[in-house]
Amino acid sequence: MAERGQLPLPAKRLCSRPGYGSGCRLGQLVGGTRLGSGALCAGPAAAAAAAALGLLPFGKTQSPETLLDIAARKVAEKWPFQRVEERFERIPEPVQRRIVYWSFPRSEREICMYSSFNTDAEDYTAVPGGTTAGTVPSGGADTAATDESLLSFRRGIALLDGGCVDNVLQVGFHLSGTVTEPAIQSEPETVCNVAISFDRCKITSVTCSCRNKDIFYCVHVVALSLYRIRKPDQVKLHLPISETLFQMNRDQLQKFAQYLITVHHTEVLPTAQKLADEILSQNSEISQVHGAPDPTAGASIDDENCWHLDEEQVQEQVKLFLSQAGYHGSGKQLNLLFAKVREMLKMRDSNGARMLTLITEQFMADRHLLLWRQQGTAMTDKYRQLWDELDSLNKPHRTVFTRAIEACDLHWQDSHLQHIISSDLYTNYCCHDDTENSLFDSHGRPLWHEHVPTACARVDALRSHGYPQEALRLAIAIVNTLRRQQQKQLEMFQAQKKELLHKGVTSITNLEGWVGHPLDPIGTLFSSLMEACRVDDESFHGFSNTESVEQCKSLEYHHLPAHRFLEEGESYLTLAVEVALIGLGQQRIMPDGLYAQEKVCRNEEQLISKLQEIDLDDTLVKIFRNQAVFLLEAGPYSGLGEIIHRESVPMHTFAKYLFTSLLPHDAELAYKTALRAMCSSTTYIDQHQRERETALRESEPGLRGTCIKDSNTTCQDCIKGLWQERGSGTERDWLLVLESMVPSGDVSRPHHIASVVPNRYPRWFTLSHIESQQCELASTMLTAAKGDVRRLETVLESIQKNIHSSSHIFKLAQDAFKIATLMDSLRDITLLKVSLELGLQVMRMTLSTLNWRRREMVRWLVTCATEIGVYALDSIMQNWFTLFTPTEATSIVATTVMSNSTIVHLHLDCHQQEKLASSARTLALQCAVKDPQNCALSALTLCEKDHIAFETAYQIVLDAAATSMSYSQLFTIARYMEHRGYPMRAYKLATLAMTHLNLSYNQDTHPAINDVLWACALSHSLGKNELAAIIPLVVKSIKCATVLSDILRRCTLTTPGMVGLHGRRNSGKLMSLDKAPLRQLLDATIGAYINTTHSRLTHISPRHYSEFIEFLSKARESFLMAHDGHIQFTQFIDNLKQIYKGKKKLMMLVRERFG
């Protein structure tokens, strides 16, 4: 951070001397004698001690630290120098020097913090003596790969280590020096003048001539600061300049002033003259003030002791980031600023609050707020995230409590609440009833009925303000209330189940989910209870049964002795686990907005990760069983119930955790839970968009809730192998997909089930995450079901019905294949079949859609089928038209099946080889009929060893040549035929290709030219008759003069093929240009040159004149091949001269070359 100007740093305070009319400066004169003359203020003993201390070398660790250094260091840390002067009448010069010496910062961690974004303050631990432990390594090659956020600090170290810091001088509380920036490729060497003021071990201002504008210190300030910290003995130290001036007499002062003006006359002369005039004037302000400013004299009593922070730059940077908040980099920068505020607050740096205030002011002044207010639009998710971050910084450790007060106007005067939080003995075994708002349950334990997030906010408030036991008591009462409410919900649903299943519609029971809620109620309860059951020497308190504690100190979490609010056998650990399961399993609606939805997913994963740290014992497994049963039977109160809302948050992540936790203890229940979760989001993923469009077209609102009873939404069909034994009755248990929801209003009565009209169709921004979690759940079940045929079939059926992403199904297929073919175990043929079935489904799903991984999927499917055996390969070839495109079937499937590697891998005998080859040839012929353009060549290749199949494929090509195939495809097949030894078939296909070709006069680089030349060469090699037959096609299709002349030249160089049709030998004479067919080709070539010449001259520019002359030279060569070619060319040139006589320069070039 460098200031924008190079003006002198302002003095902190005024320093006065006897000559100014004030008293003697403290510590400077003793009986009228200067300090330098031998008289010390405290007598001989003090003088001797001071002299000795002045000679004491710095850094001699073998000697104990002197009392002077200890005292000076403490004074330098705590007192402004003005207070020292006012407190003591006389201050010896050695004492002043040690105070000035120790006043500079001694730790590098603050330098790093003020020069870089993210730092870890714990890595920079100051140690006595001015050195630092854990300092950042020196610069050089090793720093190239370091964190970019420490770039300024690292560069400063590099400059220091490179010897770039020079002329370091400390005058009082002011440090100056020069830092040389080495030359680089694009910039010359630069020298920066750096000045630093400091006070009480903090840098209070910085100036650098580099004029760098940034929030943090520039590299030159860093380099100079580190030089002073690491090499204090190499810094020449002087007392404040006012002390030096005081030692001068009048002549010396005049000489000092004149020399100073002479050296810097261009800069200071106007200022010097102005000051001189004001001093000589009796009425000037300077003359009326005692003392004069000294920028090196340290801080005054009234100065705030804080590190230098460029507030203007903080404001400008935040304003810039907010104006670009739509960009990823800007949000990242703001988050880094938030992290810097946290770092400063953690280190108790007052600038943390200052920076937070500046950031908040800029947020409040942001123009986007006014724009959203005027337009009536909601804040974007990115801005909402930044505001949440800002809010949490403005209210540290009290965020939940403060928001609860603002939202709900909390008070603590309720007597029942006071009793709950104040005593463990608050129970009542008589005053309870079975009503909803009963204050006690049947066991006499107190209950607390309040909006759950609000009640949990109370718990968090108590914890944050130092009342852990009170928070724990209230948390237990809330959890007991939730458990009682859960039981009531189950009873309510069981009473209404038949009616609800018959109607097929219901409502979401909680629009405000507890997991992902801004107040984080479940997380608060879980953390409070887990803290109580975490045992260590410091944090454990509140229990007298120390023996029980000592017995379980080897564990991290423990079942601590029972609390009066808990049932027998319960503990804080079981309560924490249970409330986490209750919150995670709650059926709750998906909130609006990307940020809110991501927060739901993130909080769910965080809570599950905490649960995974706990080792399950029999007590906890029992809780898992009970909660899993409730989730399956609780209908609309459970995210895994039989009745789910179409916009309910899916349970895949939670179900995966339940599945893995229950599997070793109750596999049947684990699979039931996981399979139910697989169905939970099927309808939204598959039908939401279609129904949304339909609903928007409806002109009249109405109830749209339905019970979708099809293959996509049926639970019982998915889990029929687990709910009952095979062969027994198949009672249908429909999964009800609900579209209705409770209107915004009272959601505190979760047992009220009502049908209402749907009034919103939110976008699920996290849909891809939801689908991936569903895929992870399915993969976990597949892995666990290895070796169990019944469960594998059940899981497969569930995947096929409920997963709608081809990429995810393909991933599951690959996972199943890997699990089935692990090297350390035998192949699981059932799991391989599951893998193949999933692969086949992927093929069907992606057959008519674009998918960039399609070829990979096809190749993998063939590999999977190969692993299973011959019958699988034969099956996919027999049904190729439902799985592959013709191109894929021939180029990948059939080719791979007939490869030698497949034969070797499967150890096929001759009969099996022929069976697969027959199926492959049949597939190839079918593909060639369906798509001859792309499959004909592959079909011919695959059918080479079977004469009948090969002839059939060739006939398919001939039939398709006239209408369905392009000249390039026909030329490719023709070349293949020649390579296989069928020249006449190649010639036939080449002539068919020529009929589709059309080259204009300027297409002399057309890719088909090589094919045309090859076709003519083939015809020429076959004989005169074949050449005569193809030349009319060439003349008709090609208008490019250079191509025609090339063909003509080649035909006249050699004799047509020595072997013609039926083995008849040709005469061996060169063909005449005056007779057919070459005469026709010659005339066409000359005509093409004439037409091309006129076309070129129409739009020719001077830069193309030389190219045109060369073109005419080639034309003359073709003209001269005719017997009267010279005459024709002369007439042609004369016509050009007459027609284009206006192009004088060009015609002059024509005359020079052609006469």
Side-chain angles (χ1 to χ4, degrees):
M1 181 195 306
E3 298 192 357
R4 287 179 292 279
Q6 301 185 48
L7 297 176
L9 292 173
K12 290 292 181 102
R13 57 191 178 89
L14 300 179
C15 300
S16 61
R17 297 293 178 269
Y20 290 103
S22 62
C24 173
R25 166 124 188 209
L26 303 179
Q28 296 303 318
L29 292 178
V30 182
T33 307
R34 283 192 317 188
L35 283 173
S37 62
L40 293 175
C41 62
L53 293 172
L55 296 173
L56 183 65
F58 175 78
K60 294 296 184 180
T61 57
Q62 68 269 20
S63 300
E65 195 171 15
T66 66
L67 182 60
L68 173 60
D69 271 325
I70 295 173
R73 188 172 69 249
K74 292 300 181 182
V75 168
E77 290 175 358
K78 303 297 182 182
W79 282 21
F81 196 66
Q82 183 181 7
R83 175 174 294 178
V84 177
E85 293 176 327
E86 294 178 354
R87 175 67 176 80
F88 303 100
E89 293 182 0
R90 298 179 180 87
I91 307 175
E93 183 175 341
V95 176
Q96 293 188 59
R97 287 183 178 275
R98 299 317 292 169
I99 293 176
V100 169
Y101 174 87
W102 288 111
S103 292
F104 195 84
R106 300 186 289 275
S107 172
E108 296 182 7
R109 63 179 180 179
E110 284 86 2
I111 307 298
C112 184
M113 182 172 71
Y114 278 92
S115 61
S116 310
F117 263 119
N118 288 335
T119 60
D120 187 358
E122 296 178 359
D123 292 339
Y124 304 90
T125 306
V127 296
T131 59
T132 58
T135 55
V136 176
S138 300
D142 293 339
T143 64
T146 56
D147 188 2
E148 185 179 357
S149 64
L150 296 175
L151 183 59
S152 296
F153 188 74
R154 301 282 185 184
R155 287 182 57 200
I157 293 177
L159 291 175
L160 174 62
D161 292 345
C164 299
V165 182
D166 199 6
N167 302 322
V168 182
L169 175 67
Q170 181 177 340
V171 180
F173 297 86
H174 183 274
L175 181 72
S176 62
T178 59
V179 179
T180 304
E181 190 93 41
I184 56 177
Q185 295 179 352
S186 59
E187 297 181 8
E189 179 181 276
T190 57
V191 178
C192 297
N193 298 313
V194 185
I196 300 175
S197 294
F198 52 91
D199 171 46
R200 285 168 276 180
C201 300
K202 294 178 182 177
I203 293 176
T204 56
S205 67
V206 298
T207 303
C208 182
S209 60
C210 71
R211 298 178 178 269
N212 181 40
K213 294 184 178 181
D214 197 359
I215 296 176
F216 302 112
Y217 299 166
C218 66
V219 296
H220 314 106
V221 172
V222 172
L224 181 60
S225 302
L226 295 180
Y227 185 96
R228 174 61 176 80
I229 293 173
R230 295 187 179 186
K231 304 177 181 179
D233 290 339
Q234 298 181 23
V235 179
K236 191 173 183 181
L237 189 149
H238 299 272
L239 293 179
I241 191 66
S242 55
E243 305 290 344
T244 305
L245 294 177
F246 180 74
Q247 298 176 19
M248 298 180 182
N249 58 32
R250 183 190 177 285
D251 293 339
Q252 290 173 324
L253 285 172
Q254 183 171 359
K255 183 178 292 186
F256 170 79
Q258 290 182 215
Y259 267 100
L260 181 64
I261 294 172
T262 301
V263 174
H264 301 285
H265 67 280
T266 57
E267 294 124 358
V268 304
L269 186 58
T271 304
Q273 186 60 54
K274 178 182 177 182
L275 291 174
D277 294 340
E278 291 185 1
I279 291 173
L280 293 175
S281 174
Q282 296 295 328
N283 298 326
S284 66
E285 183 179 354
I286 292 180
S287 299
Q288 296 176 2
V289 174
H290 292 293
D294 182 1
T296 67
S300 66
I301 295 176
D302 299 330
D303 287 342
E304 183 181 1
N305 182 227
C306 61
W307 286 80
H308 173 66
L309 178 68
D310 194 334
E311 297 185 3
E312 182 180 351
Q313 281 301 312
V314 172
Q315 293 173 324
E316 291 297 323
Q317 292 287 345
V318 174
K319 186 184 299 182
L320 177 63
F321 295 152
L322 286 175
S323 66
Q324 301 175 348
Y327 299 95
H328 170 73
S330 299
K332 182 180 179 181
Q333 292 294 323
L334 284 171
N335 284 322
L336 288 174
L337 276 181
F338 293 147
K340 179 58 64 179
V341 170
R342 284 196 182 88
E343 182 183 2
M344 290 179 173
L345 293 174
K346 181 179 179 181
M347 296 180 68
R348 299 183 180 181
D349 190 328
S350 61
N351 280 337
R354 291 175 62 198
M355 182 179 286
L356 180 58
T357 301
L358 296 172
I359 295 173
T360 304
E361 290 173 352
Q362 292 304 311
F363 265 72
M364 296 301 296
D366 185 20
R367 60 182 179 83
H368 291 92
L369 292 179
L370 179 61
L371 183 63
W372 288 324
R373 189 180 300 114
Q374 291 175 345
Q375 296 179 348
T377 56
M379 185 181 294
T380 63
D381 289 314
K382 179 179 285 292
Y383 264 93
R384 187 180 303 171
Q385 184 176 6
L386 294 174
W387 274 92
D388 282 354
E389 188 77 11
L390 183 65
D391 177 63
S392 66
L393 284 172
N394 274 288
K395 297 177 243 186
H397 310 300
R398 301 186 304 110
T399 303
V400 175
F401 180 52
T402 306
R403 292 180 66 172
I405 289 179
E406 295 171 351
C408 304
D409 191 23
L410 286 178
H411 64 84
W412 299 81
Q413 284 73 39
D414 187 275
S415 60
H416 182 59
L417 175 62
Q418 291 289 336
H419 283 100
I420 291 175
I421 64 177
S422 61
S423 174
D424 292 340
L425 305 176
Y426 182 53
T427 56
N428 193 322
Y429 297 95
C430 300
C431 298
H432 69 84
D433 52 45
D434 201 32
T435 60
E436 178 185 353
N437 295 320
S438 175
L439 298 180
F440 299 90
D441 63 9
S442 58
H443 300 281
R445 299 172 302 188
L447 305 175
W448 179 244
H449 298 279
E450 190 175 26
H451 182 230
V452 173
T454 303
C456 295
R458 293 182 185 274
V459 175
D460 189 75
L462 292 169
R463 290 174 60 209
S464 301
H465 287 79
Y467 299 96
Q469 290 302 310
E470 289 79 0
L472 187 59
R473 295 183 186 111
L474 181 57
I476 295 172
I478 295 171
V479 176
N480 286 333
T481 306
L482 292 179
R483 294 196 297 183
R484 180 175 182 271
Q485 184 184 79
Q486 189 182 64
Q487 185 60 35
K488 293 290 184 182
Q489 290 170 351
L490 181 59
E491 295 172 0
M492 292 286 293
F493 174 64
Q494 294 298 334
Q496 303 179 28
K497 181 175 181 179
K498 291 184 179 180
E499 180 183 356
L500 289 174
L501 294 179
H502 177 71
K503 290 181 178 180
V505 290
T506 189
S507 66
I508 191 74
T509 60
N510 199 331
L511 297 179
E512 187 180 46
W514 298 334
V515 174
H517 190 281
L519 298 178
D520 192 21
I522 299 300
T524 298
L525 294 176
F526 181 81
S527 300
S528 301
L529 294 166
M530 291 302 290
E531 285 178 4
C533 63
R534 182 193 290 270
V535 176
D536 56 66
D537 294 336
E538 296 180 359
S539 64
F540 176 71
H541 41 195
F543 295 95
S544 59
N545 190 345
T546 57
E547 182 179 355
S548 299
V549 174
E550 293 296 330
Q551 290 176 352
C552 53
K553 279 201 172 183
S554 60
L555 301 175
E556 184 177 8
Y557 299 108
H558 318 281
H559 297 285
L560 293 181
H563 190 280
R564 283 186 176 271
F565 288 176
L566 303 181
E567 293 182 1
E568 184 179 354
E570 287 184 338
S571 65
Y572 296 133
L573 180 59
T574 60
L575 214 60
V577 171
E578 187 169 9
V579 76
L581 297 180
I582 291 174
L584 290 168
Q586 175 202 31
Q587 183 176 160
R588 53 197 182 273
I589 202 162
M590 180 69 77
D592 289 328
L594 171 62
Y595 175 65
Q597 293 176 13
E598 287 182 342
K599 189 173 183 180
V600 169
C601 299
R602 184 169 58 251
N603 285 16
E604 180 183 34
E605 291 170 354
Q606 290 171 350
L607 189 54
I608 290 175
S609 67
K610 293 177 182 178
L611 285 171
Q612 289 172 336
E613 297 174 1
I614 303 171
D615 294 330
L616 301 185
D617 56 18
D618 293 340
T619 304
L620 295 178
V621 169
K622 181 180 179 182
I623 293 174
F624 270 77
R625 281 198 179 101
N626 293 337
Q627 284 300 316
V629 171
F630 171 82
L631 291 173
L632 293 173
E633 298 178 356
Y637 303 98
S638 162
L640 296 175
E642 298 169 82
I643 302 179
I644 59 168
H645 192 279
R646 55 165 295 152
E647 293 167 19
S648 177
V649 175
M651 295 283 112
H652 305 132
T653 308
F654 177 45
K656 178 185 173 185
Y657 170 68
L658 279 181
F659 178 80
T660 54
S661 301
L662 286 171
L663 188 63
H665 311 285
D666 192 338
E668 196 73 16
L669 183 59
Y671 276 96
K672 287 180 182 180
T673 305
L675 290 167
R676 180 70 64 85
M678 287 289 293
C679 306
S680 62
S681 64
T682 299
T683 301
Y684 185 94
I685 297 172
D686 191 40
Q687 301 178 17
H688 177 77
Q689 185 63 30
R690 175 172 53 83
E691 294 184 1
R692 177 173 182 262
E693 295 172 356
T694 302
L696 291 176
R697 288 195 298 266
E698 294 288 343
S699 59
E700 297 181 1
L703 184 62
R704 316 235 185 262
T706 60
C707 173
I708 309 299
K709 300 182 180 180
D710 59 20
S711 60
N712 289 329
T713 58
T714 302
C715 276
Q716 185 63 24
D717 289 342
C718 298
I719 56 176
K720 60 185 179 183
L722 300 174
W723 287 100
Q724 54 205 15
E725 293 296 327
R726 283 194 170 186
S728 61
T730 57
E731 177 187 359
R732 302 189 64 80
D733 182 15
W734 304 110
L735 172 65
L736 302 181
V737 181
L738 312 168
E739 300 183 17
S740 55
M741 57 179 285
V742 173
S744 57
D746 183 14
V747 293
S748 63
R749 312 282 187 180
H751 65 275
H752 289 176
I753 302 175
S755 298
V756 295
V757 179
N759 55 15
R760 71 184 189 115
Y761 293 88
R763 177 182 175 187
W764 281 16
F765 295 94
T766 56
L767 191 58
S768 60
H769 173 77
I770 292 168
E771 290 181 317
S772 65
Q773 290 299 308
Q774 186 184 35
C775 178
E776 289 294 326
L777 173 61
S779 179
T780 304
M781 286 194 290
L782 282 176
T783 304
K786 181 179 181 181
D788 190 323
V789 176
R790 181 174 65 88
R791 284 185 173 142
L792 279 175
E793 292 176 352
T794 305
V795 174
L796 172 62
E797 188 174 358
S798 178
I799 292 172
Q800 291 175 326
K801 291 181 178 180
N802 298 302
I803 296 184
H804 308 277
S805 168
S806 59
S807 59
H808 288 134
I809 297 178
F810 182 54
K811 180 183 181 302
L812 289 172
Q814 290 177 307
D815 291 346
F817 182 80
K818 292 176 184 177
I819 298 168
T821 56
L822 290 175
M823 298 299 294
D824 57 350
S825 61
L826 297 175
R827 291 191 311 164
D828 189 321
I829 192 64
T830 306
L831 194 53
L832 275 176
K833 292 179 179 179
V834 169
S835 176
L836 180 64
E837 284 296 326
L838 293 174
L840 295 175
Q841 183 174 352
V842 172
M843 292 297 101
R844 288 189 288 267
M845 293 174 66
T846 59
L847 180 59
S848 58
T849 60
L850 295 177
N851 192 305
W852 64 276
R853 299 184 65 189
R854 174 72 184 180
R855 290 184 66 84
E856 176 193 354
M857 293 173 176
V858 174
R859 293 183 185 280
W860 178 88
L861 183 71
V862 177
T863 301
C864 182
T866 303
E867 197 69 28
I868 294 176
V870 175
Y871 74 93
L873 290 173
D874 188 63
S875 176
I876 63 173
M877 287 192 293
Q878 293 290 341
N879 300 281
W880 71 268
F881 48 87
T882 64
L883 305 172
F884 314 109
T885 64
T887 305
E888 293 168 347
T890 53
S891 63
I892 300 177
V893 179
T895 303
T896 305
V897 169
M898 295 185 67
S899 65
N900 290 331
S901 60
T902 302
I903 295 173
V904 173
H905 181 76
L906 295 177
H907 306 289
L908 301 180
D909 55 28
C910 294
H911 175 72
Q912 291 174 321
Q913 292 182 36
E914 180 55 33
K915 181 179 179 181
L916 280 181
S918 176
S919 297
R921 288 192 291 269
T922 302
L923 176 150
L925 293 176
Q926 292 173 347
C927 293
V929 171
K930 189 171 184 179
D931 186 9
Q933 300 96 326
N934 299 312
C935 301
L937 181 59
S938 297
L940 288 167
T941 305
L942 292 168
C943 297
E944 286 176 354
K945 297 182 180 180
D946 188 288
H947 177 71
I948 297 176
F950 187 80
E951 291 297 326
T952 304
Y954 175 65
Q955 189 60 44
I956 292 173
V957 174
L958 293 179
D959 294 342
T963 56
S964 302
M965 303 187 71
S966 66
Y967 63 84
S968 60
Q969 294 166 341
L970 290 170
F971 274 129
T972 302
I973 298 174
R975 286 179 180 252
Y976 164 79
M977 283 296 185
E978 182 195 32
H979 177 72
R980 297 300 303 170
Y982 300 103
M984 290 307 299
R985 292 187 178 185
Y987 168 76
K988 174 65 175 176
L989 293 171
T991 57
L992 291 173
M994 290 296 298
T995 61
H996 295 289
L997 184 62
N998 184 18
L999 265 66
S1000 62
Y1001 74 93
N1002 59 351
Q1003 291 183 294
D1004 51 357
T1005 58
H1006 195 280
I1009 292 176
N1010 287 331
D1011 290 325
V1012 173
L1013 296 176
W1014 168 82
C1016 292
L1018 175 65
S1019 303
H1020 189 272
S1021 68
L1022 291 176
K1024 180 178 179 181
N1025 295 333
E1026 287 74 16
L1027 182 61
I1030 203 172
I1031 284 180
L1033 297 176
V1034 172
V1035 171
K1036 181 179 179 181
S1037 302
I1038 301 174
K1039 307 301 179 184
C1040 182
T1042 55
V1043 176
L1044 289 173
S1045 63
D1046 194 6
I1047 296 173
L1048 179 62
R1049 181 180 57 81
R1050 295 185 184 208
C1051 290
T1052 57
L1053 290 178
T1054 59
T1055 303
M1058 296 300 295
V1059 180
L1061 291 173
H1062 311 298
R1064 177 171 50 82
R1065 296 182 64 86
N1066 291 326
S1067 60
K1069 297 181 179 180
L1070 294 176
M1071 298 180 66
S1072 172
L1073 291 172
D1074 295 330
K1075 298 180 181 179
L1078 292 188
R1079 181 64 191 182
Q1080 183 181 3
L1081 181 59
L1082 177 59
D1083 293 342
T1085 303
I1086 293 173
Y1089 270 114
I1090 294 173
N1091 293 333
T1092 304
T1093 300
H1094 287 294
S1095 298
R1096 283 194 171 193
L1097 287 173
T1098 303
H1099 302 290
I1100 196 169
S1101 62
R1103 68 175 181 269
H1104 295 140
Y1105 283 175
S1106 59
E1107 180 183 345
F1108 178 74
I1109 296 300
E1110 294 301 323
F1111 175 77
L1112 288 181
S1113 299
K1114 294 180 180 179
R1116 181 171 60 179
E1117 295 176 2
S1118 297
F1119 273 84
L1120 294 179
M1121 295 179 73
H1123 72 281
D1124 57 347
H1126 179 72
I1127 299 174
Q1128 292 186 48
F1129 185 74
T1130 302
Q1131 293 175 349
F1132 173 56
I1133 294 298
D1134 291 341
N1135 288 336
L1136 292 180
K1137 294 176 184 178
Q1138 183 64 30
I1139 297 173
Y1140 302 101
K1141 58 184 178 181
K1143 300 181 183 294
K1144 297 180 180 180
K1145 184 177 181 180
L1146 177 59
M1147 291 302 107
M1148 181 184 67
L1149 295 175
V1150 171
R1151 291 190 189 95
E1152 290 177 357
R1153 176 68 68 90
F1154 305 109

